[in-house]
Amino acid sequence: MAQAATEAVTGAARTAPATIGDSEFDRDTAVTLREEGVYDAELSAGWTIIHAVNGGYLLALLGRALGEALPHSDPFSVSAHYLTASVPGPAVIRTQAVRTGRTLSTGQASLFQYAEDGSEIERIRVLATYGDLDTLPDDVRTTALPPAMPDRDHCLGAADGDAPIPGSSAITERLDIRLDPATVGWAVGAPSGKGEMRGWFGLADGRDPDPLSLLLTVDALPPTSFELGLTGWTPTVELTTHIRCRPAPGPLRVAITTRNLAGGFLEEDAEVWDSADRLVAQSRQLAKAPRTK
C-alpha cells in the first residue's frame, strides 16, 4: 500500500515460527516508559521503504504505546496523519488520554524524532479508540466476502520472480507475502490498469497475527498504483484502520482497491481476512500518487 514494499514479496518463512512476544516485530515495536504518558522507542532500519520507515510499522509502534497508556489494550479505530518521513533511529512517543470509559478509551499520540540541532520534529500524529475485543458480541451481519484469489501455493512469492527491484526495501525480508497472479502484471511491465492488489500475508518469522500486527498488515502490500502503471514511492497522507475482531492463527488474506486517482492523490481501501474467513480489519488511506515524468 501507500508506503509499502517496492518489490513483489519476501522470502520464505523461517522453520521455527516465532510466538507473540518473541518476534522481531514485537522487539522492534517495543516502547520504554520514560515518565507518565511518554515512551522512548528505536525505529528499526529493518522496516524501511528505501530510506523511510514504513507507515504500518509506525502505526503499530504508536498503537503499542497507546495500548500501554490507556486502560483498554485493543485498538478498535486508529486514525493517523503522517506529517514528515520517519527515519531509523531514536524516537519519543507522547501520549494523552482524551476520554476513558467502561468499555472504550480514546487517546492521542505523537511520535517525534530529533533534528541535528536537538529540536523535536513531529513525524506522525494518531487519534485512537481502544477497547476489549474479547467482550464483543458474536452477532455478525455482513455482505462482505473474502477475496476471490488462488490458494497460497498458487500465488507468487519472491522465488517466482526476477532479482529484487533496485532500491527496494528492507521490510520485505520481514514479511511473507504471496501475491495473486492477477495483480502482479506491474512486475513484468504489463500492469492491468486496475487499482487492485491482493495477496496472502504473514510475518516471515511465523508469528501469528494479533490486533497490533493488523495495523502493519493494512499497509504492507505493494501499492495499487503499481497496477495503474505508476511506479515509485506512494507516501501516505492519512490512514484510518478499524480492527473488527481478534484474528485466528494462520495466514491472512488482504485485498486492496483504488477507485479514484485524481489531483495527484489516490485512496486505498483494504480488507483483511483471517484463516476463519472473518473480516478482521478494514482501512482507508489517502496517499500521494507517484510522480510521473
Side-chain angles (χ1 to χ4, degrees):
M1 291 193 291
Q3 290 190 18
T6 57
E7 65 185 270
V9 285
T10 70
R14 299 170 192 169
T15 55
T19 59
I20 293 177
D22 187 43
S23 168
E24 185 174 16
F25 170 79
D26 297 299
R27 295 193 297 272
D28 288 348
T29 57
V31 295
T32 302
L33 182 65
R34 179 195 298 182
E35 58 188 71
E36 184 176 359
V38 181
Y39 299 84
D40 290 311
E42 183 74 18
L43 305 190
S44 169
W47 303 87
T48 51
I49 309 301
I50 313 301
H51 300 297
V53 181
N54 171 260
Y57 164 74
L58 291 172
L59 200 62
L61 185 67
L62 273 79
R64 189 179 295 280
L66 279 169
E68 294 191 11
L70 296 173
H72 298 94
S73 59
D74 295 330
F76 275 31
S77 179
V78 183
S79 295
H81 285 263
Y82 294 82
L83 308 177
T84 54
S86 300
V87 296
V92 60
I93 300 172
R94 304 186 189 280
T95 68
Q96 179 184 0
V98 177
R99 180 186 180 276
T100 58
R102 184 175 60 85
T103 60
L104 295 174
S105 301
T106 299
Q108 62 183 14
S110 290
L111 183 145
F112 299 87
Q113 290 190 293
Y114 302 100
E116 292 184 0
D117 62 4
S119 61
E120 290 186 343
I121 303 172
E122 188 173 6
R123 301 297 197 191
I124 175 175
R125 184 177 299 189
V126 164
L127 183 65
T129 295
Y130 276 58
D132 184 351
L133 289 169
D134 295 327
T135 65
L136 297 181
D138 295 329
D139 184 29
V140 176
R141 309 180 195 190
T142 182
T143 59
L145 296 172
M149 64 183 191
D151 62 40
R152 191 171 178 273
D153 290 339
H154 291 89
C155 288
L156 300 178
D160 301 305
D162 297 327
I165 295 172
S168 62
S169 53
I171 190 175
T172 56
E173 300 173 9
R174 284 148 186 85
L175 307 179
D176 182 13
I177 298 175
R178 309 295 177 91
L179 294 177
D180 183 343
T183 67
V184 296
W186 57 272
V188 293
S192 67
K194 300 178 180 179
E196 297 178 354
M197 195 66 62
R198 291 183 299 274
W200 295 84
F201 175 87
L203 291 171
D205 60 13
R207 178 197 189 274
D208 280 320
D210 69 351
L212 193 67
S213 70
L214 291 176
L215 298 177
L216 165 68
T217 304
V218 298
D219 194 45
L221 267 62
T224 56
S225 58
F226 284 8
E227 274 296 272
L228 292 173
L230 301 173
T231 58
W233 190 36
T234 312
T236 305
V237 176
E238 188 271 346
L239 170 59
T240 293
T241 303
H242 298 157
I243 307 300
R244 306 308 302 269
C245 62
R246 193 176 303 280
L252 301 165
R253 285 159 292 173
V254 185
I256 313 168
T257 58
T258 293
R259 296 189 302 165
N260 191 57
L261 187 160
F265 293 86
L266 58 89
E267 91 288 341
E268 288 191 336
D269 291 322
E271 292 183 352
V272 181
W273 296 77
D274 71 359
S275 60
D277 284 345
R278 299 178 304 165
L279 182 60
V280 294
Q282 297 166 280
S283 73
R284 165 167 281 196
Q285 68 174 272
L286 180 70
K288 287 185 178 181
R291 296 178 180 177
T292 57
K293 293 183 179 179

